[in-house]
Amino acid sequence: MRLIKKKFRKVTAELLDMPHDVVFDLPRLTMIGDCQLYIENHRGVVHFSSERLRLALSKGQLEVTGSSLVIRTIWTEEVFVEGQISNIQLIP
């Protein structure tokens, strides 16, 4: 059943020319250099410190590590982080 739903979403996305992140509820990350990161489609902050940010996603978590991390802006499904970013990891 899951496979049918996934195939249906994929065909629908292609037919309607919709971005896959919208159809499949995937996170979208935009990184500028190694100092700014904009993340869309998160489900909330699990942990935050100046060295680590962990966000809940629809499927798993996203961990950002670095130094001097600061959350500049946070909205319901979007977060903007600045600092020296060294690693981004998707945790299933």
Side-chain angles (χ1 to χ4, degrees), residues 6-35:
K6 190 173 183 176
K7 284 186 178 184
F8 178 74
R9 286 182 179 176
K10 184 177 180 181
V11 169
T12 303
E14 289 172 1
L15 286 173
L16 298 176
D17 197 29
M18 294 177 66
H20 286 269
D21 61 316
V22 173
V23 176
F24 293 107
D25 199 26
L26 300 172
R28 176 179 286 212
L29 298 114
T30 305
M31 189 166 181
I32 302 169
D34 62 351
C35 57

Side-chain angles (χ1 to χ4, degrees), residues 16-83:
L16 298 176
D17 197 29
M18 294 177 66
H20 286 269
D21 61 316
V22 173
V23 176
F24 293 107
D25 199 26
L26 300 172
R28 176 179 286 212
L29 298 114
T30 305
M31 189 166 181
I32 302 169
D34 62 351
C35 57
Q36 294 181 334
L37 180 63
Y38 181 68
I39 306 160
E40 298 174 80
N41 298 335
H42 73 89
R43 300 288 173 255
V45 176
V46 175
H47 173 81
F48 177 73
S49 69
S50 61
E51 290 85 33
R52 183 169 66 121
L53 168 65
R54 190 176 275 218
L55 298 171
L57 304 174
S58 60
K59 295 178 184 171
Q61 295 184 351
L62 180 76
E63 184 174 78
V64 179
T65 55
S67 60
S68 304
L69 298 179
V70 177
I71 296 177
R72 288 287 176 210
T73 311
I74 188 165
W75 293 288
T76 307
E77 293 185 357
E78 302 170 14
V79 65
F80 181 65
V81 180
E82 286 186 338

